[in-house]
Amino acid sequence: MQKTVAVLGGGIGGLSACYHLSKSSQISKIVLLEGDGRFGGWLRSTRREDGAVFEHGPRAIRPAGAVGRNTLNMVEDLGLESEVLPVTHGHASSKNRYLYVGGQLHKMPSGLGGVLRTVPPFTRPLVQSVLREILISKGKEEDESIHSFVSRRLGTELADIAIDSLCRGVFAGDSRRLSVRSCLPILYKAEKARGSIVLGMLLGSGPEPDVPTSALAKRASQENWAQWSLKTGLQNLSEALEERMKDVRSVELHRDSPVKGLRMTGNTWEIKLEDGTIKADHIIAALPAKALASALPSAAQPLSQQLREISTVTVAVVNLEYEGSVLPVTGFGHLLPSSEDRGVLGVVYDSVPFPQHNRNGGPTTRLTVMMGGAWFQEVFGNPEEVTEQLFVERATQAVSSHLGITTPPVWSTATINKDCIPQYYLGHWKRLEIMRKYIKDHNMPITLAGASYDGVSVNDVIFSGRTASESLVGKV
Ligand SMILES: Cc1cc2nc3c(=O)[nH]c(=O)nc-3n(C[C@H](O)[C@H](O)[C@H](O)COP(=O)(O)OP(=O)(O)OC[C@H]3O[C@@H](n4cnc5c(N)ncnc54)[C@H](O)[C@@H]3O)c2cc1C
Ligand SMILES: C=Cc1c2[nH]c(c1C)Cc1[nH]c(c(CCC(=O)O)c1C)Cc1[nH]c(c(C)c1CCC(=O)O)Cc1[nH]c(c(C)c1C=C)C2
């Protein structure tokens, strides 16, 4: 099979698809089309001349599980081992996560003591909910909101406070609308397989994908890593992939090349760009779902309609730098449940896990305040009309009232990440099934990849690029 494959979208998902395809001799040409002036999508790091690094998108990657191993295998293959900044499970930022509830910071329960005792803001020991959970009968629904699932199995207090906050800290989303089946498949499968989350966690609830273990992945496991970043920021991962792809003869990289339209003539795709047309035998679409919907031909309207219904949320990210060590606590950061403050989602204490990203000389504290998400429009209005200055002010106020840091930051920047996190609402699994059946039934040579479908974490998205490549060329 000698084919031309076009990969649409040069975020980490599209770059991963290219990387995996480029290892196969079955593909004669791979064309990566990115609409923006740079590759990497949401992986964006500011590197200041004084050595400070600030993340505007993802800031840490988990090494755990098959998808975590898969990313580390790629990191090793790209020669980035010496750039990795690991954080172990024993580190304060892995052990300490906080909730800001009732105007106070509360450390989330951890360890045996935390589970056995009543730990505020909760009114009874976690162990009670956990033991009771084993006896609750299985749900009968095909899907359920995360909030409803957790209320049913673990009680409303955990759902209203802990799970509401967790959904804000991963999806910037509303636990009452997000699907447990698609967002937290591990919990959904545990209930289906073992009748209980607790038993599912203890006994396992299904096989993991088969992913080999590189020396780096082995090191991560032996050294008990909980998360990792890179010395010059996570943008370095997309840059290393881009550099690798430049060295592969079969790969053509095009930036500033937004896809304007797609047409099928016979078995061939015609991809309309601003300045011409490219032909391809197969497309891997690693674009946001709505961007793909806009490009598809009108004949594929049923597919476009499903794609358009995959919502996204906008997150304002404010990076703040303070002189000296000013945090009153140490840890990963804190989250706020939606009942506390709808606009402010949480604060990451970046300088705790990654002090290496502080500027050279003299201690500093780097924080990131995340705002908006599913509540963006309601609290801040139209993202096109809000100023970045407003977010810096709101963020500084939040840091002052939550953490008592009243000195002004010495440096700050705000970015409004429009439509940056897809929301897997109730029934997302069914939508995926309908879309993939449509593609199959209509023999459309297109594969979906990226954050819109099977997981939003960097690991999930990299794995989606690999799966898309394997669906074409098999394992390489
Ligand atoms: C603020 C924030 C914090 C996060 N934190 C973490 C974290 O700590 N850990 C973690 O694991 N994950 C995190 N994530 C999630 C993760 O970063 C993203 O889900 C992932 O980067 C998405 O990658 P992608 O390639 O699917 O999409 P994108 O990055 O959106 O890439 C899609 C690409 O398609 C391009 N494009 C769009 N339209 C067109 C067109 N018509 N033609 C051509 N190109 C087009 C875009 O320019 C973009 O480059 C975070 C995300 C955000 C926004
Ligand atoms: C406050 C908003 C956000 C914070 N991070 C994100 C948002 C929207 C985005 C995000 N964070 C994580 C992921 C990847 C998920 C994965 O499966 O790896 C994404 C897309 C990691 C993460 N962050 C928190 C948790 C519980 C997780 C899951 C993995 C893990 O346990 O490490 C909690 C958390 N996120 C933020 C804060 C302030 C916070 C907790 C204190 C910021």
Side-chain angles (χ1 to χ4, degrees):
M1 177 179 36
Q2 287 286 303
K3 281 191 173 205
T4 298
V5 178
V7 178
L8 314 186
I12 194 70
L15 286 165
S16 161
C18 257
Y19 165 85
H20 286 100
L21 281 174
S22 72
K23 291 185 178 286
S24 164
S25 55
Q26 296 176 48
I27 306 294
S28 47
K29 191 168 159 190
I30 304 157
V31 186
L32 178 61
L33 298 169
E34 166 54 45
D36 195 21
R38 58 180 279 283
F39 295 100
W42 296 117
L43 275 69
R44 218 156 69 75
S45 319
T46 289
R47 291 128 177 186
R48 253 184 10 206
E49 273 183 12
D50 60 7
V53 176
F54 297 88
E55 298 286 13
H56 309 298
R59 60 214 50 244
I61 300 182
R62 289 192 293 161
V67 292
R69 218 159 50 235
N70 180 59
T71 303
L72 286 174
N73 296 349
M74 176 194 268
V75 167
E76 178 177 297
D77 185 46
L78 293 171
L80 291 174
E81 301 100 307
S82 61
E83 294 299 306
V84 173
L85 298 176
V87 179
T88 64
H89 278 284
H91 192 271
S93 66
S94 313
K95 290 196 290 195
N96 305 341
R97 283 170 183 200
Y98 298 85
L99 293 173
Y100 186 75
V101 181
Q104 280 186 342
L105 277 185
H106 301 277
K107 187 168 152 330
M108 285 194 203
S110 65
L112 196 59
V115 177
L116 295 176
R117 279 186 291 113
T118 298
V119 180
F122 304 103
T123 55
R124 57 177 190 213
L126 216 63
V127 69
Q128 271 183 23
S129 315
V130 167
L131 291 177
R132 199 176 139 264
E133 195 273 338
I134 298 172
L135 307 171
I136 307 268
S137 53
K138 245 195 231 186
K140 295 196 175 64
E141 306 292 325
E142 283 189 311
D143 198 359
E144 194 175 1
S145 78
I146 298 179
H147 187 272
S148 154
F149 178 90
V150 173
S151 300
R152 184 168 58 73
R153 299 212 61 85
L154 290 161
T156 50
E157 189 171 73
L158 273 176
D160 288 347
I161 303 175
I163 296 302
D164 175 290
S165 305
L166 177 101
C167 289
R168 285 156 67 89
V170 175
F171 301 97
D174 183 350
S175 62
R176 288 158 185 83
R177 298 188 67 193
L178 292 168
S179 147
V180 71
R181 182 166 178 168
S182 300
C183 296
L184 300 174
I186 191 162
L187 302 192
Y188 176 82
K189 285 184 194 155
E191 190 193 47
K192 283 282 166 280
R194 306 282 180 189
S196 148
I197 306 174
V198 176
L199 293 180
M201 296 295 179
L202 290 174
L203 305 170
S205 37
E208 276 213 315
D210 174 28
V211 173
T213 307
S214 60
L216 187 63
K218 195 167 169 201
R219 204 187 120 201
S221 158
Q222 282 167 345
E223 294 175 7
N224 208 14
W225 296 3
Q227 50 179 321
W228 58 270
S229 177
L230 294 169
K231 284 180 185 165
T232 55
L234 285 179
Q235 183 178 311
N236 192 201
L237 183 55
S238 52
E239 288 166 344
L241 277 166
E242 181 185 347
E243 286 309 306
R244 171 64 61 87
M245 290 304 98
K246 281 184 187 157
D247 290 341
V248 181
R249 256 194 317 135
S250 59
V251 178
E252 271 181 23
L253 300 178
H254 298 259
R255 59 181 120 197
D256 290 314
S257 302
V259 173
K260 294 288 179 189
L262 299 170
R263 210 171 68 167
M264 278 296 285
T265 30
N267 290 329
T268 307
W269 283 107
E270 281 182 12
I271 304 165
K272 192 164 169 276
L273 304 174
E274 272 167 353
D275 53 358
T277 302
I278 286 182
K279 290 190 174 173
D281 302 300
H282 196 98
I283 281 176
I284 293 182
L287 303 168
K290 281 198 177 72
L292 175 61
S294 305
L296 281 171
S298 50
Q301 198 272 336
L303 178 57
S304 305
Q305 191 187 324
Q306 294 294 330
L307 289 163
R308 278 205 181 90
E309 284 179 25
I310 301 176
S311 292
T312 49
V313 295
T314 296
V315 179
V317 173
V318 180
N319 305 93
L320 301 168
E321 180 185 39
Y322 292 87
E323 202 62 65
S325 302
V326 291
L327 274 169
V329 289
T330 180
F332 182 77
H334 67 261
L335 289 169
L336 290 85
S338 56
S339 52
E340 187 73 20
D341 182 330
R342 292 169 89 73
V344 180
L345 305 170
V347 183
V348 191
Y349 312 158
D350 298 292
S351 45
V352 177
F354 303 116
Q356 303 89 337
H357 286 167
N358 290 349
R359 70 166 191 226
N360 305 320
T364 54
T365 302
R366 289 173 306 104
L367 305 176
T368 304
V369 183
M370 304 229 191
M371 286 177 276
W375 299 264
F376 195 102
Q377 198 83 20
E378 167 195 329
V379 179
F380 304 108
N382 183 348
E384 311 290 348
E385 289 165 15
V386 211
T387 65
E388 280 150 16
Q389 187 51 34
L390 171 108
F391 287 110
V392 172
E393 282 161 18
R394 280 296 305 272
T396 317
Q397 280 161 15
V399 166
S400 162
S401 60
H402 302 175
L403 296 164
I405 302 172
T406 50
T407 51
V410 288
W411 186 87
S412 63
T413 186
T415 40
I416 300 173
N417 293 344
K418 206 163 166 290
D419 296 319
C420 62
I421 306 193
Q423 303 291 290
Y424 303 163
Y425 288 146
L426 270 189
H428 181 79
W429 69 276
K430 190 78 197 162
R431 198 179 305 295
L432 295 189
E433 219 175 76
I434 293 171
M435 292 195 299
R436 289 188 168 131
K437 183 168 184 311
Y438 182 92
I439 290 170
K440 190 161 176 254
D441 291 351
H442 291 77
N443 288 321
M444 285 176 82
I446 189 165
T447 311
L448 307 176
S452 297
Y453 312 104
D454 299 302
V456 301
S457 74
V458 170
N459 285 331
D460 292 328
V461 171
I462 289 175
F463 198 74
S464 81
R466 172 186 158 148
T467 311
S469 161
E470 281 179 4
S471 72
L472 273 183
V473 299
K475 275 196 199 303
V476 261

